[in-house]
Amino acid sequence: MKKYLLLALFGAFLLPSISFQQTLRTIKSPGNISTITVGLNKSGEIFYKISYRGKTAVNWSRLGLTTKGLDLSKGFRLRDATASKHDSSWKPVWGEVDNIRDNYTELEYGLENEAGHRMTLRFKAYDEGVGFRYELPEQPGLQTIQVTDELSEFQMTGDHTAWWIPGDFDSNEHVYSTSAISAIDCTPYNKEHAIFTQHIVKMKNVQTPIAMRAASGLHIALAEAGLADFGALHLETDTENLKFKAFLIPSPDSTIKSTNTLPFHSPWRAVLLSKDAAGILESKLILNLNEPSKIEDPSWIKPQKYVGIWWEMHVGKASWEYLDAEGKPNGRHGATTENTKRYIDFAAKYGFDGVLVEGWNVGWEGWFGQWKDEVFDFAKPYPDYDIDALSRYAREKGVRLIMHHETSSAVTSYERQMDEAYAFMKKHNMNTVKTGYVGKIIPRGEWHDGQWMNNHYLRVAERTAQNKIMVNMHEAVRPSGLHRTWPNWLACEAARGQEFNAWSAGNPPEHECILPFTRILGGPMDYTPGIFEVRMNSYNPEKTEVVHTTVAKQLALYVTLYSPLQMAADLPENYEKRLDVFQFIRDVPVDWSDTRVLNAEIGDYITLARREKGSEDWFLGSITDENPRSFSIKLDFLPAGKTYEATIYSDGKGAHWKDNPYPVDIVKRQVKRGDQFTINLAAGGGCAIAIKQQ
Amino acid sequence: MKKYLLLALFGAFLLPSISFQQTLRTIKSPGNISTITVGLNKSGEIFYKISYRGKTAVNWSRLGLTTKGLDLSKGFRLRDATASKHDSSWKPVWGEVDNIRDNYTELEYGLENEAGHRMTLRFKAYDEGVGFRYELPEQPGLQTIQVTDELSEFQMTGDHTAWWIPGDFDSNEHVYSTSAISAIDCTPYNKEHAIFTQHIVKMKNVQTPIAMRAASGLHIALAEAGLADFGALHLETDTENLKFKAFLIPSPDSTIKSTNTLPFHSPWRAVLLSKDAAGILESKLILNLNEPSKIEDPSWIKPQKYVGIWWEMHVGKASWEYLDAEGKPNGRHGATTENTKRYIDFAAKYGFDGVLVEGWNVGWEGWFGQWKDEVFDFAKPYPDYDIDALSRYAREKGVRLIMHHETSSAVTSYERQMDEAYAFMKKHNMNTVKTGYVGKIIPRGEWHDGQWMNNHYLRVAERTAQNKIMVNMHEAVRPSGLHRTWPNWLACEAARGQEFNAWSAGNPPEHECILPFTRILGGPMDYTPGIFEVRMNSYNPEKTEVVHTTVAKQLALYVTLYSPLQMAADLPENYEKRLDVFQFIRDVPVDWSDTRVLNAEIGDYITLARREKGSEDWFLGSITDENPRSFSIKLDFLPAGKTYEATIYSDGKGAHWKDNPYPVDIVKRQVKRGDQFTINLAAGGGCAIAIKQQ
C-alpha cells in the first residue's frame, strides 16, 4: 500500500525504494505553513515537493544541473543533511517598510556522486514561500563548470490561471497575458519588432516572475533572487503536465548557459505562496534571499523624485539627436541649455530632486537599430548643451542633473568608457545615472538576460557605488532583489513602461494591476507615471495614441507602483495647467516606513496605504483595470487619537480612461483611525489620497 | 571575332555587350609589369582581371559586397573612373630596409546603382602586385551596413602548387600543407584540440596569406593589408574551377560578417606577384597599402633582443602557476624573484635589452581551457615575485623587464583592466608587453579573427602607444602590415611557433622555409628561435620531442625570420655551455637598413643577407628544409674597397636535425666584396655568418 502511494506520488519516473525513503528530508517554515520535502530516487536523482497550509503547492519535481562533461543530475547519494532555524531582522536603506524580518528554516542537503563530486541543495522555508539554490563547494579536480542545463522543475497541481510574458532573451517590454497554464503560447508575441529588440525562441517559455492563482485560491509566484554570474531564469511550460522547468538564457555558444568557477552557487529559485493576492504583494522573500548591503556607508543614497527632458521626445515634440540627415542642427533638439534651465527652474520651484536630460551627448544621429559599436561618447555634450553652465545653475537652484547613458547596447564600448563617464558626472555634480540598453547587445550574440550581461549590470552597480553614484537601468534584466545588496541600484525599467503609451498600442488598463505581482516583485520599476495630457492628438492631430488611464489613476500609481525613484513624467507646461492635481505628485514621498495592502486581485485592482518614512503621514493609492470599482476604505492603519487631513484625488464625474480621462475631483476631509468611506474608481481609473497629520 | 574573344575571356558567366566594353578600364603599374582591367557586365556586376608581364595572373573574377537589405554586387553603372600615378618613399621606424618606395598607378572606379547607392573600387597597380579595396562614401540614407558576404574572387590560371593552412577562425598555429589548389582539403586538420583552440568550419577554406607557384614559374601570394574593423580575410577554394573566393570571419550572429559605418572602406586585398620566390620575400606591397605611422614621435620605440622565463615552462622544468591543486605553493613556480634576478643578470652580462617573465601574476591555477571570465589580475603579482625589487634591480642592471599579459582570451575582462595594467607597467619601468589570447574568446561567440577582436587588437596597439608601450601579441590575428601604422606593435605570433617543438609533433624542418612566404608577409613574428638544447629528453628521459633543427639553423633564423623583437629562447645554462655559438645571437641585430635575398624557394631554402641599421656590418642567414644543400655565396653586396671579418657558423661534420643536431663549426675569415665561397647546410640545418667591418 505504501509502495502504491509512492508510485502515485512520483509517477513513472521515480521508483520507490528503501534508499529513497532513507534520503527523504522535510523542513517546515517557522509558522508551520510551508513544508519542503527532498529526496533521492534509486538512480540518485533529486526530487522535492512543497506544501502550503497542508496542501501540495508544488508536487514532486526534479532538481539537478547538467554541465559539460559532468552530469550533476543523477547518481547522487545523500552525504549529509542539516536543518537549522534562523530569525533576524534588517533595515533596508530604502523601501516599502523600514524593517524586514528574516525568519526561516534551512535545510542543507549535501550530495555526492560516485566520482566524489559534491553538490549541496540549500532550501529555505519561509511562511511566505520557499527558496532553494544549487551550491558546488570547492573540491579537488573540479575548478570550473560549464552549465548546459538546469533541471529544476515546478510541478503545479492544477491548471492555474497565470499572468505571464514570453521568455524573451532580450526584452521584458511585453503586454501581459492572462491564461490557464495549459494555454500558454507565445506565438502571438513573436512578430518581428513587436518590441524593437526581441528574441523569442520557444513558444512555451515564459519570463519569471510569473504569478498564478489556483482554483483553491492559493496564489503562487515563481521567481528568482540574487541573479549573479548566471543566465536569467525563464521557465519552459509543459502545458500538458502543467509543469514548469528552468530555462537559462544561454551564452552565444547556445549549448552553454553559464560558465562558473567553484565555489559556486546558483541564484535562488523562489516560490512565493499566499492564500490571497495581497500576500504576494507583502512578501519579502526575494529580498530576504539576497545578500545584505555591500555599501558600508549608504548615507549618500537618496530616494528621489525627478522631472526631465524625455517625454517630449516620446510625444514627438523634440528629438534626442541634434543634427538632421544633412548634418545640420535640426532645430528640434530637446537637450538644449535653455530647455534644461526651464526644467531646472521647474524642479526647483516644485521641490523635485533631479532633472534627467536625455540626448545631451553626441552620437544620437542614426544609431538606432543599427547594431553599431562605438556609438556614444559619454563625456562629450552636443554643442547646444552647456553642461558646465547647467551644472552650476542646477547647483545654485538646489537641484541635481541626472545623467543619461544610453549605451545603445554597445556594452563593451560602455565598459571601456565607464571610468571616464563617472568622473565626468562627478565633475558636474551629478550622482544619479539612468543607463539604457536599447538594441541588440555588443558583445554580439549575447542577450540582455544572459550571464555576461548580468555580470555587466552588477559591475555597473558596483562601479557606480564606488563612485557614490545611484543608478537606474533601462532595458536591463528584470530585477531579482539585488537592490538589497547594492542599494544605490535604485530602479530598473525591465517591463513595458509608460513610454509605450506615447507611440504604440500602449499598455492596457490592467497593466499596472499586474506589474506588482510579477515584474516588480524583484525590485522597483522606473515606470514614469504622472501623465496628465494623456491624448497624443493634443501634440499632433494625426496621432491616435492615448495613455489608457484617467488622470487620477496616474496619481495613484505613485503609491501602487513602488519605487524610490519616481519621475513626474509629463511636461512642465502640462503640470502648470493643473497645479491643484499636481499637488499630490509634489506631496507623495518615495520612501516608506510601512505599507498595508487594503485589497488586491491580480490584474484587477490594488489598494495600498503607505506611511512616509520619518513621518506620520500616510498615502493611499487605489487603481483598477478597465472596470469601474467602488471600495470601502477603513482607516484602521492610522494610529489612534490623532487627527489627519485627507486630500482625496478621485476620478471626477463621468471619468473614463477612454472617453473622459481628465476629470479629477479633489476633496479634503478630516479623518482619524477607524473612519470608513467609499472611493469610486472609474474604468481605467484610480484614487490617490494624501493623509497628513495635523 | 571580337565577340568570340570576349566570350572566351569571360566564360559563361558574363555576356559581352556594348555596356561592358564601355565600362572597361585598365591601368598598368609604373614599370608596365602588372595590369589591372575592370568592367561591368550587363547585369551591372563587377569583374576584374590581373596580368603580369603580359600573361594573365588572375583571370576574370567577380567583385562585390552583399549587405543586409542591400546588395552591393550588381545593378551598378559606372559613375566615374579616375586613374592617377603616385611615387613617393617613406622610412619605416624599423624594418628590413630603411627606405621604402611607394610607386603605383591608381584607379578609382566609382559605381552607382539604381537606388543611387554609391560604391568605389580602388585599385593600385604596383610592379610587384596589385591591391584593391571597397569604399562606401558618406551618402544620404545609408549610415551603416551589415556585411553578409564579400564576393571578391581570385581566378587562378592553373592548378598551382600552394602552401596553405586551414581557414581556422581561432588559430594560425597549424603545420603548412603543400598541395595543388585542386587538392586543398582541411579535413586532416579538423581533429578536436589538434590545436587547443581551433575552429575549422569549411574544409576548403584557407587562411591568407597563401603562397602559390605556377608551372610557368610565376609566384603569387594572396593576402590582405590594413585589417581594421572587419573580419579577417580567408579564402574559400573552388577546387574544381581553381578559384578562390573571399570568406570573412563572421560575428557570433553568423549571418553577419561585419557591421560598419559610412564612410567605410574594406581592408586591402593584395595579390603579390613575382617571377621567382625571392620577389615575394622582397615585396613591400602590404606595407605600402597600409596607412603611415600614427605615432608622431616614435623615438621611444626600440627593436629588442630579449631572454625570459618561458621556455623552462614549455620543457616542463617550471610552472606558470604558483599553487598546486591543494592550494599550496607547488615549488616549481618559474616567476620567482630569485629566478628573475638570474635572468636579469644573464641579460645584463650578455647585452640583452629585456627579460620576459611569464606566470608572474595571480590567476594561473586551473584557468586553461575553461573559458572562464575574470581569470587574471594584471596588477597583482604572486607572493614569491617581488616586482618592486625586481624592477629596481633591472633598472640598476640596465635591463627592462618585459610585461606579460595573458588575457586567457577573457578579452572584455582585459579591456576593463587595460588602463590599470599599463599604469602598473609604467610604474615598474616596463615599456614592452607580450599579450596572449589563449583559449576561446570572451565575448563568447567571437573568434580570434573576427571584427570585434580585430578592433580589440588595434585598440591595444593604440592604447599601448598612448602609454609609450611596445606590444607583442600572441594568438592574435595574423598581421596585415598594421605595424607600419602602429610601429609600437613590434610583433605577433599568429603562426605555429617554436613552442610546439617542446611538447608536440612539432614543426617540420621546412616550416621556417614557408613562414616568410605566408604568415610573415603580413608582419614580424615572435618565433622565439635560438634553442641549443633541442632534445626534450635532456629534461625528462620520458620525453621524445625534439626541435627539428640543427643548432646552426637556430642561429640562421635570427636573419631569415625577420622581427624587430627576437628572443634568445633557450635557458641561460644552455647558452653558457656554448658561449662560442651563443656569440652570434649576441651579435645579430634586430633592425636593418638593407636586405638581399641571395636565394629562396618556398618550403625548401632561404638565404638572406642584411645590413645592420646604422652600421656597415652584414649578417647572413641560410636555412634549409629536411634536405642538405650547398650554396655558393658571392659577397657582391659588400661595398668595394673594405675589408671584413666573417664569422661563419656552419653545421658541423655529420650534423643532421634528427641524428646529430648539435655540431657547429665556427670559422673566421677575412672577406671583401666579390669573394665567393660555399656554405654547406645539413639536413634541417643552416648557416649564419656575421660579417663585420674591420
Side-chain angles (χ1 to χ4, degrees), chain B residues 529-540:
Chain B
I531 300 303
F532 284 9
E533 184 43 87
V534 296
R535 290 176 168 167
M536 298 307 113
N537 65 9
S538 72
Y539 299 104
N540 177 344

mmCIF file with all atom_site columns, all heavy atoms in Angstrom, chain B residues 529-540:
data_model
loop_
_atom_site.group_PDB
_atom_site.id
_atom_site.type_symbol
_atom_site.label_atom_id
_atom_site.label_alt_id
_atom_site.label_comp_id
_atom_site.label_asym_id
_atom_site.label_entity_id
_atom_site.label_seq_id
_atom_site.pdbx_PDB_ins_code
_atom_site.Cartn_x
_atom_site.Cartn_y
_atom_site.Cartn_z
_atom_site.occupancy
_atom_site.B_iso_or_equiv
_atom_site.pdbx_formal_charge
_atom_site.auth_seq_id
_atom_site.auth_comp_id
_atom_site.auth_asym_id
_atom_site.auth_atom_id
_atom_site.pdbx_PDB_model_num
ATOM 1  N N   . PRO B 1 529 ? 63.419 31.958 -31.689 1.00 0.00 ? 529 PRO B N   1
ATOM 2  C CA  . PRO B 1 529 ? 64.452 30.995 -32.104 1.00 0.00 ? 529 PRO B CA  1
ATOM 3  C C   . PRO B 1 529 ? 65.534 30.857 -31.036 1.00 0.00 ? 529 PRO B C   1
ATOM 4  O O   . PRO B 1 529 ? 65.401 31.381 -29.929 1.00 0.00 ? 529 PRO B O   1
ATOM 5  C CB  . PRO B 1 529 ? 65.003 31.632 -33.387 1.00 0.00 ? 529 PRO B CB  1
ATOM 6  C CG  . PRO B 1 529 ? 64.768 33.100 -33.224 1.00 0.00 ? 529 PRO B CG  1
ATOM 7  C CD  . PRO B 1 529 ? 63.560 33.261 -32.330 1.00 0.00 ? 529 PRO B CD  1
ATOM 8  N N   . GLY B 1 530 ? 66.587 30.150 -31.404 1.00 0.00 ? 530 GLY B N   1
ATOM 9  C CA  . GLY B 1 530 ? 67.776 30.094 -30.547 1.00 0.00 ? 530 GLY B CA  1
ATOM 10 C C   . GLY B 1 530 ? 67.793 28.945 -29.565 1.00 0.00 ? 530 GLY B C   1
ATOM 11 O O   . GLY B 1 530 ? 68.435 29.033 -28.523 1.00 0.00 ? 530 GLY B O   1
ATOM 12 N N   . ILE B 1 531 ? 67.144 27.850 -29.893 1.00 0.00 ? 531 ILE B N   1
ATOM 13 C CA  . ILE B 1 531 ? 67.176 26.693 -28.987 1.00 0.00 ? 531 ILE B CA  1
ATOM 14 C C   . ILE B 1 531 ? 68.440 25.871 -29.261 1.00 0.00 ? 531 ILE B C   1
ATOM 15 O O   . ILE B 1 531 ? 68.650 25.400 -30.374 1.00 0.00 ? 531 ILE B O   1
ATOM 16 C CB  . ILE B 1 531 ? 65.914 25.819 -29.175 1.00 0.00 ? 531 ILE B CB  1
ATOM 17 C CG1 . ILE B 1 531 ? 64.652 26.631 -28.865 1.00 0.00 ? 531 ILE B CG1 1
ATOM 18 C CG2 . ILE B 1 531 ? 65.997 24.573 -28.280 1.00 0.00 ? 531 ILE B CG2 1
ATOM 19 C CD1 . ILE B 1 531 ? 64.599 27.236 -27.479 1.00 0.00 ? 531 ILE B CD1 1
ATOM 20 N N   . PHE B 1 532 ? 69.282 25.758 -28.234 1.00 0.00 ? 532 PHE B N   1
ATOM 21 C CA  . PHE B 1 532 ? 70.515 24.970 -28.350 1.00 0.00 ? 532 PHE B CA  1
ATOM 22 C C   . PHE B 1 532 ? 70.283 23.538 -27.851 1.00 0.00 ? 532 PHE B C   1
ATOM 23 O O   . PHE B 1 532 ? 70.824 22.599 -28.392 1.00 0.00 ? 532 PHE B O   1
ATOM 24 C CB  . PHE B 1 532 ? 71.642 25.616 -27.524 1.00 0.00 ? 532 PHE B CB  1
ATOM 25 C CG  . PHE B 1 532 ? 72.241 26.846 -28.157 1.00 0.00 ? 532 PHE B CG  1
ATOM 26 C CD1 . PHE B 1 532 ? 71.672 27.443 -29.280 1.00 0.00 ? 532 PHE B CD1 1
ATOM 27 C CD2 . PHE B 1 532 ? 73.419 27.393 -27.635 1.00 0.00 ? 532 PHE B CD2 1
ATOM 28 C CE1 . PHE B 1 532 ? 72.246 28.575 -29.857 1.00 0.00 ? 532 PHE B CE1 1
ATOM 29 C CE2 . PHE B 1 532 ? 74.002 28.521 -28.213 1.00 0.00 ? 532 PHE B CE2 1
ATOM 30 C CZ  . PHE B 1 532 ? 73.418 29.115 -29.322 1.00 0.00 ? 532 PHE B CZ  1
ATOM 31 N N   . GLU B 1 533 ? 69.503 23.430 -26.791 1.00 0.00 ? 533 GLU B N   1
ATOM 32 C CA  . GLU B 1 533 ? 69.238 22.076 -26.266 1.00 0.00 ? 533 GLU B CA  1
ATOM 33 C C   . GLU B 1 533 ? 67.937 21.597 -26.924 1.00 0.00 ? 533 GLU B C   1
ATOM 34 O O   . GLU B 1 533 ? 66.839 21.867 -26.446 1.00 0.00 ? 533 GLU B O   1
ATOM 35 C CB  . GLU B 1 533 ? 69.110 22.095 -24.744 1.00 0.00 ? 533 GLU B CB  1
ATOM 36 C CG  . GLU B 1 533 ? 68.924 20.705 -24.157 1.00 0.00 ? 533 GLU B CG  1
ATOM 37 C CD  . GLU B 1 533 ? 69.853 19.701 -24.803 1.00 0.00 ? 533 GLU B CD  1
ATOM 38 O OE1 . GLU B 1 533 ? 71.007 19.570 -24.334 1.00 0.00 ? 533 GLU B OE1 1
ATOM 39 O OE2 . GLU B 1 533 ? 69.439 19.048 -25.792 1.00 0.00 ? 533 GLU B OE2 1
ATOM 40 N N   . VAL B 1 534 ? 68.092 20.924 -28.077 1.00 0.00 ? 534 VAL B N   1
ATOM 41 C CA  . VAL B 1 534 ? 66.944 20.662 -28.951 1.00 0.00 ? 534 VAL B CA  1
ATOM 42 C C   . VAL B 1 534 ? 66.226 19.361 -28.610 1.00 0.00 ? 534 VAL B C   1
ATOM 43 O O   . VAL B 1 534 ? 65.178 19.075 -29.177 1.00 0.00 ? 534 VAL B O   1
ATOM 44 C CB  . VAL B 1 534 ? 67.380 20.630 -30.437 1.00 0.00 ? 534 VAL B CB  1
ATOM 45 C CG1 . VAL B 1 534 ? 67.890 22.000 -30.859 1.00 0.00 ? 534 VAL B CG1 1
ATOM 46 C CG2 . VAL B 1 534 ? 68.411 19.548 -30.671 1.00 0.00 ? 534 VAL B CG2 1
ATOM 47 N N   . ARG B 1 535 ? 66.801 18.562 -27.699 1.00 0.00 ? 535 ARG B N   1
ATOM 48 C CA  . ARG B 1 535 ? 66.152 17.280 -27.381 1.00 0.00 ? 535 ARG B CA  1
ATOM 49 C C   . ARG B 1 535 ? 65.500 17.358 -26.007 1.00 0.00 ? 535 ARG B C   1
ATOM 50 O O   . ARG B 1 535 ? 66.169 17.603 -25.002 1.00 0.00 ? 535 ARG B O   1
ATOM 51 C CB  . ARG B 1 535 ? 67.186 16.161 -27.429 1.00 0.00 ? 535 ARG B CB  1
ATOM 52 C CG  . ARG B 1 535 ? 67.634 15.885 -28.838 1.00 0.00 ? 535 ARG B CG  1
ATOM 53 C CD  . ARG B 1 535 ? 68.731 14.831 -28.875 1.00 0.00 ? 535 ARG B CD  1
ATOM 54 N NE  . ARG B 1 535 ? 68.925 14.384 -30.254 1.00 0.00 ? 535 ARG B NE  1
ATOM 55 C CZ  . ARG B 1 535 ? 69.988 13.654 -30.638 1.00 0.00 ? 535 ARG B CZ  1
ATOM 56 N NH1 . ARG B 1 535 ? 70.915 13.297 -29.762 1.00 0.00 ? 535 ARG B NH1 1
ATOM 57 N NH2 . ARG B 1 535 ? 70.082 13.289 -31.906 1.00 0.00 ? 535 ARG B NH2 1
ATOM 58 N N   . MET B 1 536 ? 64.218 17.123 -26.002 1.00 0.00 ? 536 MET B N   1
ATOM 59 C CA  . MET B 1 536 ? 63.474 17.263 -24.750 1.00 0.00 ? 536 MET B CA  1
ATOM 60 C C   . MET B 1 536 ? 63.805 16.167 -23.750 1.00 0.00 ? 536 MET B C   1
ATOM 61 O O   . MET B 1 536 ? 63.558 16.322 -22.553 1.00 0.00 ? 536 MET B O   1
ATOM 62 C CB  . MET B 1 536 ? 61.959 17.320 -25.026 1.00 0.00 ? 536 MET B CB  1
ATOM 63 C CG  . MET B 1 536 ? 61.539 18.517 -25.866 1.00 0.00 ? 536 MET B CG  1
ATOM 64 S SD  . MET B 1 536 ? 62.118 20.123 -25.231 1.00 0.00 ? 536 MET B SD  1
ATOM 65 C CE  . MET B 1 536 ? 63.279 20.605 -26.510 1.00 0.00 ? 536 MET B CE  1
ATOM 66 N N   . ASN B 1 537 ? 64.378 15.070 -24.223 1.00 0.00 ? 537 ASN B N   1
ATOM 67 C CA  . ASN B 1 537 ? 64.757 14.019 -23.257 1.00 0.00 ? 537 ASN B CA  1
ATOM 68 C C   . ASN B 1 537 ? 65.911 14.457 -22.371 1.00 0.00 ? 537 ASN B C   1
ATOM 69 O O   . ASN B 1 537 ? 66.225 13.801 -21.388 1.00 0.00 ? 537 ASN B O   1
ATOM 70 C CB  . ASN B 1 537 ? 65.028 12.685 -23.952 1.00 0.00 ? 537 ASN B CB  1
ATOM 71 C CG  . ASN B 1 537 ? 66.233 12.743 -24.860 1.00 0.00 ? 537 ASN B CG  1
ATOM 72 O OD1 . ASN B 1 537 ? 66.973 13.720 -24.856 1.00 0.00 ? 537 ASN B OD1 1
ATOM 73 N ND2 . ASN B 1 537 ? 66.416 11.691 -25.644 1.00 0.00 ? 537 ASN B ND2 1
ATOM 74 N N   . SER B 1 538 ? 66.530 15.561 -22.713 1.00 0.00 ? 538 SER B N   1
ATOM 75 C CA  . SER B 1 538 ? 67.566 16.071 -21.806 1.00 0.00 ? 538 SER B CA  1
ATOM 76 C C   . SER B 1 538 ? 66.944 16.638 -20.540 1.00 0.00 ? 538 SER B C   1
ATOM 77 O O   . SER B 1 538 ? 67.614 16.807 -19.524 1.00 0.00 ? 538 SER B O   1
ATOM 78 C CB  . SER B 1 538 ? 68.408 17.127 -22.517 1.00 0.00 ? 538 SER B CB  1
ATOM 79 O OG  . SER B 1 538 ? 67.654 18.305 -22.689 1.00 0.00 ? 538 SER B OG  1
ATOM 80 N N   . TYR B 1 539 ? 65.659 16.962 -20.606 1.00 0.00 ? 539 TYR B N   1
ATOM 81 C CA  . TYR B 1 539 ? 64.951 17.459 -19.419 1.00 0.00 ? 539 TYR B CA  1
ATOM 82 C C   . TYR B 1 539 ? 64.212 16.356 -18.695 1.00 0.00 ? 539 TYR B C   1
ATOM 83 O O   . TYR B 1 539 ? 64.013 16.403 -17.495 1.00 0.00 ? 539 TYR B O   1
ATOM 84 C CB  . TYR B 1 539 ? 63.938 18.552 -19.823 1.00 0.00 ? 539 TYR B CB  1
ATOM 85 C CG  . TYR B 1 539 ? 64.591 19.747 -20.465 1.00 0.00 ? 539 TYR B CG  1
ATOM 86 C CD1 . TYR B 1 539 ? 64.527 19.950 -21.834 1.00 0.00 ? 539 TYR B CD1 1
ATOM 87 C CD2 . TYR B 1 539 ? 65.320 20.647 -19.687 1.00 0.00 ? 539 TYR B CD2 1
ATOM 88 C CE1 . TYR B 1 539 ? 65.143 21.038 -22.429 1.00 0.00 ? 539 TYR B CE1 1
ATOM 89 C CE2 . TYR B 1 539 ? 65.950 21.737 -20.272 1.00 0.00 ? 539 TYR B CE2 1
ATOM 90 C CZ  . TYR B 1 539 ? 65.854 21.931 -21.641 1.00 0.00 ? 539 TYR B CZ  1
ATOM 91 O OH  . TYR B 1 539 ? 66.478 22.998 -22.214 1.00 0.00 ? 539 TYR B OH  1
ATOM 92 N N   . ASN B 1 540 ? 63.795 15.366 -19.492 1.00 0.00 ? 540 ASN B N   1
ATOM 93 C CA  . ASN B 1 540 ? 62.972 14.313 -18.928 1.00 0.00 ? 540 ASN B CA  1
ATOM 94 C C   . ASN B 1 540 ? 63.142 13.099 -19.829 1.00 0.00 ? 540 ASN B C   1
ATOM 95 O O   . ASN B 1 540 ? 62.767 13.136 -21.007 1.00 0.00 ? 540 ASN B O   1
ATOM 96 C CB  . ASN B 1 540 ? 61.515 14.794 -18.911 1.00 0.00 ? 540 ASN B CB  1
ATOM 97 C CG  . ASN B 1 540 ? 60.546 13.733 -18.413 1.00 0.00 ? 540 ASN B CG  1
ATOM 98 O OD1 . ASN B 1 540 ? 60.886 12.548 -18.351 1.00 0.00 ? 540 ASN B OD1 1
ATOM 99 N ND2 . ASN B 1 540 ? 59.350 14.174 -18.078 1.00 0.00 ? 540 ASN B ND2 1
#
